[in-house]
Amino acid sequence: NAGVMQNPRHLVRRRGQEARLRCSPMKGHSHVYWYRQLPEEGLKFMVYLQKENIIDESGMPKERFSAEFPKEGPSILRIQQVVRGDSAAYFCASSPYRDGDYGYTFGSGTRLTVV
Amino acid sequence: DQQVKQNSPSLSVQEGRISILNCDYTNSMFDYFLWYKKYPAEGPTFLISISSIKDKNEDGRFTVFLNKSAKHLSLHIVPSQPGDSAVYFCAASPTLLTSGTYKYIFGTGTRLKVLA
């Protein structure tokens, strides 16, 4: 069991470019969560998805950010027209139960740097 | 609006002694609490949890205490080891919401350094 796989580990983008972050949940997990960690801050919830459905996106910025979890393939967090303030570590987590009773399993994160 | 607070950004403890990490929360609807440990350049890993029906949960060297009336939980590590040096996050979630989701709210973390 490879765990939660995130790629790329590091991503550098120029201001105005698009960033695509991928997350493959653990085998058997159908619930995916994205969190963002800004420098010197905790983990901030962004979005919770099930296959083909966004369940809760209350933590997502209203503009430029979108997420999907298609029937086939990984979950994608997309950031359009990146700005320097988007530089952060983005963590994906997955769980096998809707209620996440056993906590989430996190990936190693994608560190986005906007130059 | 920081609903989960870890007021100590860092803590240093001598090897073999007890480490006590604290966490306060404001939302009385929070019903389930977890602690995660995070090493640099890695994702957080689940450490221990406690539900509001308990006031203590123990797993080896790790014990979590919950004081619901004070809205406070703490993680005790005894004895502390150098390998415990990491950032520790507490996280809280309310009971199942009408939307059917749990959503963990994380604190800002406490960096623990265990000195050999």
Side-chain angles (χ1 to χ4, degrees), chain A residues 9 35 37 42-45 48 55-56 58 91 98-101 103-104 106-107 111, chain B residues 2 32 34 36 38 41-44 46 89 96 99-104 106-108:
Chain A
R9 288 296 302 272
Y35 282 77
Q37 184 180 22
L43 294 155
K44 302 286 188 186
F45 170 82
Y48 163 35
I55 305 301
D56 182 343
S58 58
F91 292 96
R98 191 178 195 185
D99 57 12
D101 247 3
Y104 304 154
F106 279 88
R111 276 142 193 86
Chain B
Q2 190 67 30
Y32 199 73
L34 308 96
Y36 279 84
K38 185 182 180 303
E42 294 184 15
F46 171 77
F89 292 97
L96 199 63
S99 59
T101 62
Y102 277 104
K103 186 169 72 185
Y104 289 107
F106 282 78
T108 51

Side-chain angles (χ1 to χ4, degrees), chain A residues 28-99:
Chain A
H29 289 192
S30 57
H31 308 280
V32 166
Y33 315 83
W34 285 92
Y35 282 77
R36 175 167 67 172
Q37 184 180 22
L38 293 165
E40 306 304 321
E41 293 190 18
L43 294 155
K44 302 286 188 186
F45 170 82
M46 298 184 76
V47 62
Y48 163 35
L49 310 104
Q50 292 180 36
K51 284 284 187 183
E52 300 185 277
N53 286 304
I54 296 175
I55 305 301
D56 182 343
E57 57 180 347
S58 58
M60 288 273 275
K62 293 287 184 283
E63 297 176 353
R64 303 188 297 108
F65 285 73
S66 62
E68 62 176 7
F69 189 17
K71 189 176 180 181
E72 301 291 337
S75 175
I76 306 286
L77 179 68
R78 182 195 298 179
I79 311 171
Q80 296 177 299
Q81 299 174 334
V82 296
V83 300
R84 287 234 170 95
D86 297 332
S87 295
Y90 292 82
F91 292 96
C92 168
S94 70
S95 73
Y97 303 105
R98 191 178 195 185
D99 57 12

Side-chain angles (χ1 to χ4, degrees), chain B residues 62-99:
Chain B
F62 302 91
T63 303
V64 56
F65 295 91
L66 175 63
N67 182 334
K68 279 199 75 176
S69 60
K71 295 192 181 70
H72 177 84
L73 68 155
S74 60
L75 174 69
H76 292 208
I77 306 173
V78 182
S80 301
Q81 299 173 354
D84 296 329
S85 297
V87 177
Y88 290 79
F89 292 97
C90 69
S93 178
T95 45
L96 199 63
L97 304 176
T98 54
S99 59

